[in-house]
Amino acid sequence: MKSSTATGVEDVCRKFGNDRTRMMDIVIAVQRRFGCVSTEAMELIARACGTQRVEVESVVTFYAFLSVKPQGRVVIRLCNDIIDWMKGYQDVADAMAKELGVTMGETTADGAITLTHTACIGMSDQAPAALVNDVVVTQLTPERAREVVRDLRRHLDPSQLVTMVGDGHNAHPLVRSMVRNNIRHRGPVHFAEFESGSALRRALARPPEAVVKDIKDSRLRGRGGAGFPAGVKWELARHAPGERRWVVCNADEGEPGTFKDRVLLTERAHQMVEGMTIAGYAIGSDAGIIYLRGEYRYLLAYLEAVLDERRRAGLLGRDILDTPGFHFDIRIQLGAGAYICGEETALISSCEGLRGDPKNRPPFPVEKGYLDLPTIVNNVETYCCVSRILLQGAAWFAAMGTARTTGTKVLSIAGDCRKPGVYEVPFGITPDELLEMAEADNPGAMLIGGPCRQMIGPGRFSGRICYDDLATGGAIMIFNRARNQLEIAEHYLDFFIEESCGHCTPCRVGLIQLKRLVHKVVHGAGEPADLQAMRDLSRFIAQMSRCGLGQTAPNPVLGALDGFPALYEGLVAERKPGLLSTFDLASAVVDAERRVGRQSQYV
Amino acid sequence: MSAKPRIATVSLAGCFGCHMAILDIDERILRLADLVEFDRSPINDYKTFTGRCAVGLVEGGCCNEENVHVLEDFRRHCDVLISLGDCAINGGVPAMRNHVPLRECLEEAYLKSPGVYNPGGVIPNDPEIPLLLHRVYPCHEVVKIDYYIPGCPPPADAIWSAIVALLEGRPVELAYAGLKYD
Amino acid sequence: MQFVLDGKTITATPGQTILKAAEAAGVYIPRLCAYKDLIPHGSCRVCSVRVNGRIQAACVQTVSSGAIVEHDTEELREFRRDVIDLLFVEGNHYCMFCEKSGLCELQALAYRFGITAPKYPLLNPKRDIDMSHPDVYLDHNRCILCGRCVRVSQDLDHKNVFQFVNRGLEKRLQVNGEALAATDLRVTDEVVASCPVGALMKKRVGYAVPVGDRPFDAQPIGADIESGKGGVA
């Protein structure tokens, strides 16, 4: 007789057509149903999908939210980003651990609750925050943390933790989340009224080439941070040979400190999906994928409902808006906790049911992307821009911003300020202006674009937010003068080490060695030569790594070295000849002393 | 005191194989004796330094507190310190215990391994036995090392040419055939 | 088509990688994860070159007409050396008793680059050895995650014995079964000979070639390509 696991796993596989390219969906569903993807389950999946167990295992072990070993029925994932630390992460973590009687990473003895941590979950404006299974809990205090644990012990139902819902669609019955939008400044592109179908009608009234031209004329650059011209990308994909083309939306904003796509997904889902549909029309595609980060699973049911609503309204599906031959539909691909999947080729790997390893380039996704077919990948904000450009015209859009970075930008501002939240502002705005808007508190530094970009000091607060000066995918973090830049750099090195896919040597091994050097200096054992060694190793990792993660991971270290040199220089000193500063005999013998019960005669 | 440059050698957590390799320079040892004076070394059985040395050759890594003490002493007395052989350079065979907790190492050695007769189940604690470090360190993770001659053991020619280079005031450079890790 | 490699004009065929085109012209670009005609992995980064100013893996990057490629520069030598250094300290490489010594490509590259000691602190990870298979063993201590075995098993042996699991520094090789013995690996499979280091080894044939006669004892790795006799891999 078949075990219940076997029946359950086979059901899941069947639901996804026993298709190995849908491996992410399969393993996420199995994880959800059984609390892990066990060896037995992996065997079953492999058999159903015509692959090998080790293939399945390679996927399961890649993503932080998937697990081969059983986890608690409820998994509490405390967000450990730097902003959460600043807002009291440690006290919350201690309170939870004590209340649960476990240490970080452990499960309670009854197998009910697991406590662990996770990277930025896109809630920096309401930190400290945590994911309790899919439920987002924000603005935690030690007292609230103890309450959460006590409540969970009673009912083991995370949804009951939501006693007050947030504003806007956070209160929608399919969302029902305590998350707040914190929209602080509304601009004309994203936060003006949007009527479903209005932009698409404009697009369909003209030939696809004209729509591509509109996007090119608007000089819209990808909002993810790299700033590649969207129109150029579309044109390349449009002309690339392939039986089908794909439109992919990157809704995996994982850059620490970024949360503006969360708000756009909540409040502007129609505008975004419409932008994707317009892209489909423009490049000749009939299918799209929204890659939704696992952290935002609480928005999944709502987004599915939006897609359904649009299908019913004739805005998705076959012969859209009665345009013969224009078919386009979208599926949502969930992620499962991997920062690297924000990188477009890693995202494509993940959509294909693989580990989130970036791919070698060339070929580029516009030629060979999802399933080796021409694919455009743009993010949530970019597609929202597309809809507005179609409504208001390329010239209207291009008139905003700076000469080379047109339009507005939605920023996520958090940290040491009184008004953390989402701000839609024209490109070209200065950090000084942002600090004033957000009512910053004694600002000493700003992390523009998250740890992969740059930490700036007051000397650059009069710069401009645009691709030619201070580029950002949306994250702006404010640090007051009391914050230790070195600790921040070390913190983010840990983040990149944890999130590295491990494919290439410079990133996989180089980062851990860079971390050792930084740690040595931060803890007062550094020598002047270490500063140069840090620069050399940073440069090596940045130049030699295969993808953007490794190429940008040393930026927090370089930013601190360049922007705040006095900090490092004050910590290093020439050492006396003799034992190296990194070698500590006392700690090297302490274990032996304890074992044999005698003190070292040399310490 | 002789005006000749002085050389010291030591075997820390090593097997003396590298010292055998020094002797492998064969008849050149007579020329070496003309060129240098041996200070602290198992070759002449001097247990302590008698003066400042031009060159110190260190075999073996640091597995215990005494190794560290001796290595520090070598650093203090030698102008140029050379890690001689793989154990000094990367810990070598003794470093294979580095991922095993010290407790397990001691229990394996004194209590559990086949052939052990230890009815009292006592892990020896004589002050003569140096305390083990929690892991084996290569020498350059303990003190500054100037040159490395890898090999297990290093080729005698490599040792000879390194010493001659230093005595002639040249940096140590290994020819392709002199650079071996086995 | 033609491109410029360190100032010399080299002729290449369209679609050829920089690595292969250079090799055909008698220029050895050091490499580790590249193997025969497998789809390039681009993971070790040893073959990094500057293509029109930007660093690219020569095993992945195809030649574009008129490209200016820098290969034998001091900067790139340093960078490649660093990669080799990092691979050594990442694993547990005990050359003194390794059966692969003298035939190992990682060791041979370290010789070629004149590396005498690890530049970075050793990580000394705890890793396993899988001796379960009657004819082959897998020593994870020596694995450098080059992915040759993953690709050879898939593309040449048409099996799927190996894959990577975990990510980042925790990334490691995994076999399709409880242990190697539970897989369909045969000692005759091409994959067994493809490992550049001593991670995947045939049993009972160690130390077959005497010291002094091994491939890299007298001549550095790549010397065959530089002498125009073609590559080994």
Side-chain angles (χ1 to χ4, degrees):
Chain A
M1 214 185 87
K2 264 189 190 170
S3 70
S4 62
T5 312
T7 321
V9 170
E10 284 166 9
D11 284 349
V12 168
C13 293
R14 204 173 310 113
K15 187 179 159 204
F16 295 102
N18 294 327
D19 179 355
R20 59 189 286 186
T21 72
R22 300 296 298 274
M23 191 60 75
M24 281 297 282
D25 297 297
I26 293 169
V27 291
I28 289 169
V30 170
Q31 170 84 37
R32 210 171 152 74
R33 186 147 164 191
F34 299 102
C36 68
V37 188
S38 64
T39 303
E40 184 196 359
M42 293 193 289
E43 295 274 7
L44 291 160
I45 294 168
R47 212 172 305 144
C49 299
T51 181
Q52 283 74 27
R53 187 194 88 183
V54 75
E55 269 314 315
V56 185
E57 192 174 352
S58 81
V59 176
V60 173
T61 55
F62 188 88
Y63 298 91
F65 293 178
L66 302 172
S67 150
V68 177
K69 293 209 174 77
Q71 289 183 297
R73 274 182 59 194
V74 174
V75 181
I76 303 174
R77 294 189 165 87
L78 274 179
C79 176
N80 71 349
D81 188 63
I82 196 82
I83 301 287
D84 296 77
W85 275 90
M86 284 158 48
K87 306 288 176 185
Y89 165 87
Q90 193 58 60
D91 291 340
V92 170
D94 290 346
M96 278 204 176
K98 192 160 174 234
E99 191 70 30
L100 286 165
V102 298
T103 59
M104 197 49 85
E106 286 184 343
T107 302
T108 52
D110 58 359
I113 303 175
T114 301
L115 177 65
T116 183
H117 59 74
T118 189
C120 185
I121 61 171
M123 300 290 159
S124 303
D125 55 337
Q126 39 213 304
L131 288 173
V132 183
N133 289 355
D134 310 333
V135 173
V136 181
V137 188
T138 62
Q139 291 183 309
L140 284 163
T141 59
E143 184 44 45
R144 178 77 187 113
R146 281 187 285 270
E147 258 174 50
V148 164
V149 170
R150 283 196 288 265
D151 287 352
L152 284 172
R153 276 207 191 281
R154 212 171 52 242
H155 51 60
L156 285 180
D157 176 10
S159 70
Q160 290 190 38
L161 297 173
V162 181
T163 48
M164 281 245 288
V165 291
D167 54 337
H169 285 130
N170 289 301
H172 190 285
L174 290 173
V175 181
R176 246 192 65 75
S177 164
M178 68 186 289
V179 174
R180 299 193 56 80
N181 284 328
N182 289 328
I183 301 169
R184 308 279 185 180
H185 196 267
R186 290 168 185 271
V189 175
H190 300 280
F191 294 113
E193 285 304 310
F194 179 77
E195 187 200 330
S196 269
S198 57
L200 186 56
R201 275 192 192 87
R202 295 265 178 120
L204 296 181
R206 288 176 315 126
E209 309 85 70
V211 176
V212 175
K213 187 169 181 301
D214 272 348
I215 301 304
K216 286 177 80 174
D217 289 347
S218 73
R219 286 178 284 137
L220 170 65
R221 297 171 69 166
R223 267 26 184 178
F228 192 82
V232 174
K233 190 183 276 188
W234 290 19
E235 188 153 64
L236 289 167
R238 180 175 163 72
H239 291 116
E243 283 169 25
R244 276 182 99 178
R245 293 181 173 68
W246 286 85
V247 173
V248 173
C249 174
N250 184 344
D252 190 54
E253 57 170 355
E255 192 62 38
T258 318
F259 49 83
K260 46 96 191 169
D261 284 352
R262 174 197 90 209
V263 176
L264 294 177
L265 287 164
T266 310
E267 301 302 330
R268 288 295 178 264
H270 279 284
Q271 188 174 342
M272 185 218 41
V273 174
E274 190 143 329
M276 289 179 72
T277 315
I278 292 165
Y281 175 70
I283 71 162
S285 157
D286 67 345
I289 299 174
I290 298 168
Y291 189 89
L292 182 68
R293 64 189 308 228
E295 290 82 350
Y296 292 169
R297 185 173 188 133
Y298 75 99
L299 292 171
L300 178 65
Y302 169 69
L303 293 171
E304 293 284 12
V306 165
L307 295 178
D308 272 342
E309 195 184 314
R310 294 182 68 86
R311 285 180 194 115
R312 283 196 301 275
L315 298 167
L316 279 178
R318 298 189 64 77
D319 301 321
I320 289 173
L321 288 176
D322 301 320
T323 309
F326 176 45
H327 317 309
F328 188 79
D329 212 331
I330 292 173
R331 77 170 169 95
I332 299 175
Q333 174 67 66
L334 263 183
Y339 166 75
I340 186 65
C341 289
E343 198 275 348
E344 63 175 4
T345 60
L347 183 151
I348 289 170
S349 296
S350 190
C351 288
E352 291 170 338
L354 302 168
R355 297 163 63 77
D357 285 340
K359 295 170 186 280
N360 286 320
R361 286 179 292 193
F364 290 89
V366 287
E367 304 166 290
K368 277 179 185 247
Y370 179 62
L371 304 177
D372 281 346
L373 293 164
T375 302
I376 58 166
V377 183
N378 286 123
N379 80 351
V380 172
E381 189 182 343
T382 313
Y383 287 120
C384 285
C385 290
V386 165
S387 291
R388 191 65 67 186
I389 289 166
L390 266 291
L391 276 178
Q392 302 282 346
W396 173 85
F397 187 86
M400 291 182 288
T402 68
R404 283 164 42 85
T405 313
T406 58
T408 64
K409 183 80 193 86
V410 188
L411 299 173
S412 326
I413 301 183
D416 293 316
C417 62
R418 287 200 196 94
K419 290 190 170 168
V422 167
Y423 294 73
E424 185 188 347
V425 291
F427 268 116
I429 198 165
T430 66
D432 268 330
E433 290 171 277
L434 295 175
L435 290 170
E436 199 182 320
M437 290 168 89
E439 297 179 17
D441 162 33
N442 190 24
M446 290 172 86
L447 189 50
I448 310 285
C452 83
R453 293 280 170 173
Q454 48 190 337
M455 182 73 82
I456 61 168
R460 296 190 65 192
F461 286 177
S462 55
R464 300 211 169 267
I465 304 289
C466 64
Y467 288 110
D468 299 322
D469 187 4
L470 299 167
T472 172
I476 305 277
M477 296 190 223
I478 301 169
F479 301 97
N480 70 31
R481 286 175 192 274
R483 303 290 178 195
N484 185 334
Q485 293 299 316
L486 301 178
E487 279 177 18
I488 297 170
E490 198 181 353
H491 181 91
Y492 279 127
L493 265 183
D494 282 333
F495 164 75
F496 285 119
I497 288 167
E498 189 145 329
E499 297 295 337
S500 165
C501 79
H503 185 88
C504 74
T505 318
C507 176
R508 185 183 70 240
V509 205
L511 286 176
I512 190 86
Q513 297 292 357
L514 183 58
K515 150 96 182 170
R516 284 184 165 213
L517 268 173
V518 173
H519 189 80
K520 176 182 173 185
V521 170
V522 168
H523 293 268
E527 296 169 69
D530 290 325
L531 299 185
Q532 190 55 44
M534 259 191 250
R535 279 183 191 283
D536 291 346
L537 185 53
S538 293
R539 187 164 173 278
F540 162 81
I541 297 166
Q543 298 254 321
M544 293 285 280
S545 292
R546 191 170 76 126
C547 81
L549 190 152
Q551 288 160 9
T552 58
N555 283 348
V557 178
L558 290 172
L561 280 173
D562 291 338
F564 307 86
L567 280 172
Y568 281 98
E569 279 154 15
L571 283 172
V572 297
E574 293 289 354
R575 305 288 155 178
K576 293 195 299 279
L579 294 185
L580 296 176
S581 58
T582 40
F583 179 81
D584 178 33
L585 182 60
S587 61
V589 292
V590 70
D591 198 11
E593 286 178 334
R594 211 169 43 230
R595 296 284 153 222
V596 301
R598 134 171 86 89
Q599 298 294 305
S600 166
Q601 55 178 312
Y602 298 105
V603 172
Chain B
M1 202 165 166
S2 154
K4 284 195 245 176
R6 305 174 74 78
I7 284 189
T9 76
V10 70
S11 178
L12 304 174
C15 69
F16 275 92
C18 297
H19 274 78
M20 295 297 121
I22 297 174
L23 300 180
D24 266 351
I25 63 176
D26 299 329
E27 74 284 357
R28 286 173 291 191
I29 196 121
L30 299 175
R31 275 173 65 197
L32 187 62
D34 283 342
L35 290 170
V36 304
E37 194 80 44
F38 272 89
D39 200 292
R40 180 185 165 151
S41 170
I43 290 173
N44 55 16
D45 211 19
Y46 283 20
K47 301 284 199 269
T48 54
F49 279 97
T50 63
R52 180 127 201 106
C53 292
V55 180
L57 293 167
V58 181
E59 168 189 338
C62 291
C63 80
N64 65 36
E65 54 177 354
E66 190 200 21
N67 294 155
V68 173
H69 175 71
V70 172
L71 183 58
E72 195 182 4
D73 204 29
F74 262 69
R75 184 67 273 181
R76 202 177 303 125
H77 284 90
C78 302
D79 295 340
V80 170
L81 211 51
I82 300 180
S83 272
L84 185 66
D86 291 344
C87 294
I89 289 172
N90 59 33
V93 171
M96 288 180 75
R97 75 156 161 104
N98 279 5
H99 57 256
V100 182
L102 188 64
R103 181 181 57 82
E104 287 176 38
C105 291
L106 292 169
E107 285 175 0
E108 184 66 23
Y110 292 115
L111 307 176
K112 289 182 178 165
S113 72
V116 166
Y117 177 73
N118 186 354
V122 178
I123 291 178
N125 180 22
D126 192 297
E128 287 291 303
I129 306 172
L131 293 174
L132 289 176
L133 308 183
H134 66 121
R135 69 178 178 93
V136 178
Y137 288 80
C139 292
H140 64 271
E141 289 187 23
V142 177
V143 300
K144 180 176 178 291
I145 296 291
D146 302 294
Y147 293 105
Y148 305 88
I149 308 177
C152 185
D157 286 348
I159 300 172
W160 172 251
S161 60
I163 293 171
V164 169
L166 285 174
L167 293 176
E168 292 176 356
R170 292 181 285 117
V172 174
E173 277 166 17
L174 297 176
Y176 183 81
L179 176 61
K180 288 287 169 279
Y181 302 162
D182 57 7
Chain C
M1 67 200 302
Q2 292 187 317
F3 71 105
V4 177
L5 180 64
D6 287 343
K8 281 192 304 188
T9 300
I10 305 264
T11 304
T13 53
Q16 200 172 23
T17 63
I18 292 171
L19 189 93
K20 294 276 183 189
E23 185 169 317
V27 177
Y28 170 73
I29 298 175
R31 77 289 301 260
L32 264 176
C33 65
Y35 186 70
K36 292 191 175 169
D37 292 322
L38 293 180
I39 296 168
H41 205 232
S43 64
C44 75
R45 311 313 276 181
V46 172
C47 70
S48 294
V49 292
R50 268 194 196 279
V51 184
N52 298 328
R54 197 181 154 84
I55 290 187
Q56 308 276 8
C59 69
V60 172
Q61 197 67 26
T62 49
V63 172
S64 57
S65 186
I68 307 290
V69 180
E70 295 165 83
H71 144 62
D72 195 21
T73 66
E74 193 182 331
E75 177 201 42
L76 286 167
R77 279 196 298 271
E78 276 297 311
F79 279 175
R80 290 170 185 160
R81 200 188 141 107
D82 253 8
V83 169
I84 297 160
D85 259 315
L86 288 172
L87 286 171
F88 261 100
V89 298
E90 184 189 20
N92 297 311
H93 296 279
Y94 297 106
C95 296
M96 68 290 290
F97 60 77
C98 181
E99 292 173 49
K100 193 81 172 193
S101 191
L103 305 94
C104 168
E105 293 176 41
L106 178 67
Q107 183 195 63
L109 280 171
Y111 289 169
R112 188 180 166 111
F113 281 87
I115 294 172
T116 55
K119 175 172 165 182
Y120 299 101
L122 298 160
L123 299 184
N124 289 132
K126 179 169 171 41
R127 296 198 187 162
D128 298 329
I129 305 175
D130 182 346
M131 296 294 288
S132 63
H133 194 283
D135 304 314
V136 179
Y137 70 89
L138 176 60
D139 186 345
H140 291 280
N141 290 288
R142 304 165 180 169
C143 177
I144 55 169
L145 305 172
C146 68
R148 278 195 196 177
C149 57
V150 176
R151 291 170 292 151
V152 170
S153 180
Q154 279 173 358
D155 298 346
L156 302 182
D157 293 333
H158 306 293
K159 297 181 179 180
N160 202 349
V161 177
F162 303 97
Q163 251 303 347
F164 290 121
V165 293
N166 304 335
R167 72 182 186 205
L169 207 60
E170 304 295 315
K171 182 172 178 171
R172 63 182 172 80
L173 198 63
Q174 175 68 295
V175 300
N176 187 40
E178 287 311 303
L180 213 45
T183 70
D184 55 353
L185 178 76
R186 295 281 170 80
V187 68
T188 48
D189 288 350
E190 176 135 9
V191 71
V192 180
S194 70
C195 182
V197 291
L200 191 61
M201 298 287 284
K202 263 186 210 179
K203 289 182 174 176
R204 301 179 296 278
V205 291
Y207 313 112
V209 188
V211 174
D213 294 346
R214 301 169 306 181
F216 307 122
D217 279 337
Q219 279 209 313
I221 187 167
D224 47 353
I225 291 172
E226 287 165 331
S227 67
K229 285 182 198 135
V232 281

